[in-house]
Amino acid sequence: MEKQTIEPRTYGDECDGCTGPERIEVMRFQRAIRAITGKWKIEIVCSLVAGPMRFGELRRALPGITQHMLTEQLRDLARNGIVIRTAYPEVPPRVEYALSQAGIDLMPTFGALHDWALRYQDRLAD
Amino acid sequence: MEKQTIEPRTYGDECDGCTGPERIEVMRFQRAIRAITGKWKIEIVCSLVAGPMRFGELRRALPGITQHMLTEQLRDLARNGIVIRTAYPEVPPRVEYALSQAGIDLMPTFGALHDWALRYQDRLAD
DNA sequence: CTCGATAGTCTGCTTTTCCATATTACCTCT
DNA sequence: AGAGGTAATATGGAAAAGCAGACTATCGAG
């Protein structure tokens, strides 16, 4: 039996030279995903939902994280405009991290993905 | 000026022994994220939205992917119940990949995240 | 009998991510 | 004077992810 080309493949066909609009959208999407992947990023964002927190406060809220990791992940989140870093030139130094509007607006999408995970958690490996 | 504990920290406070419900939810969430992270996973899922595809067909639709990567990513997606692999014991071998219901239901969450990425793309690094 | 197509697997390598352990600089408290 | 807290940086190593290229088995076409 022959397989008679189930459906026109608009996605693949338009991407011979990587110029189709779909590909560009996928790339943007990937960038968004990359902005929130990282072992602690989601936990950090979820912690900050309740309000701004200081560096050490976050560290205590995330048992197991190293200073290095926290610094790195926060820097990354700030670089992507998801959290806002505010350093107060006091001594001892005080640095506060808060969600930006982008960070706050991220939560509904988290909610959607969480609902999905809840529905299909039994088939999710690991 | 003193900082008077902006808000009760329900998340951090309950997680001293990693037993709070929020932590468990974050872990579930992380599992969902891990199921869709990987350099080609999203492109594969987006390709399959139009209908089932064969291995080689997918490979041609994703220029730049290696056989190894495609095999691996598909296996991973199948392991997480997002795609369904159907091998027909013919010769030459024919293997078809299709989105499962979980995979189809994933699309709206992709849409939400995509909208977010669209709105804030100018501050996304990289 | 060799060639090509299919859907892989196997091996070795590079890059990225993750993690632990120092070390810094400044100020306060004792 | 010395201990302690704060927010980092620096260094070095382990683990995971990604990549290229060679190899397999089967069958039909030429």
Side-chain angles (χ1 to χ4, degrees), chain A residues 35-106:
Chain A
I36 59 165
T37 44
K39 200 157 179 221
W40 299 93
K41 297 240 180 79
I42 287 159
E43 295 194 64
I44 290 170
V45 171
C46 288
S47 294
L48 288 177
V49 157
M53 286 173 97
R54 299 183 54 172
F55 183 87
E57 211 174 348
L58 270 169
R59 188 153 64 94
R60 284 185 294 277
L62 304 171
I65 197 171
T66 60
Q67 264 187 334
H68 192 359
M69 266 291 112
L70 184 53
T71 304
E72 209 173 51
Q73 305 282 293
L74 281 170
R75 182 190 299 285
D76 224 49
L77 286 169
R79 202 169 52 96
N80 285 110
I82 291 167
V83 311
I84 295 164
R85 192 192 117 114
T86 316
Y88 297 90
E90 305 170 358
V91 74
R94 181 161 69 93
V95 183
E96 271 199 351
Y97 293 91
L99 286 189
S100 68
Q101 189 57 48
I104 293 166
D105 288 352
L106 203 50

Side-chain angles (χ1 to χ4, degrees), chain B residues 16-30:
Chain B
D16 293 329
C18 295
T19 49
E22 290 89 350
R23 183 160 200 89
I24 290 165
E25 300 215 346
V26 167
M27 282 166 66
R28 170 160 51 222
F29 195 103
Q30 297 266 34

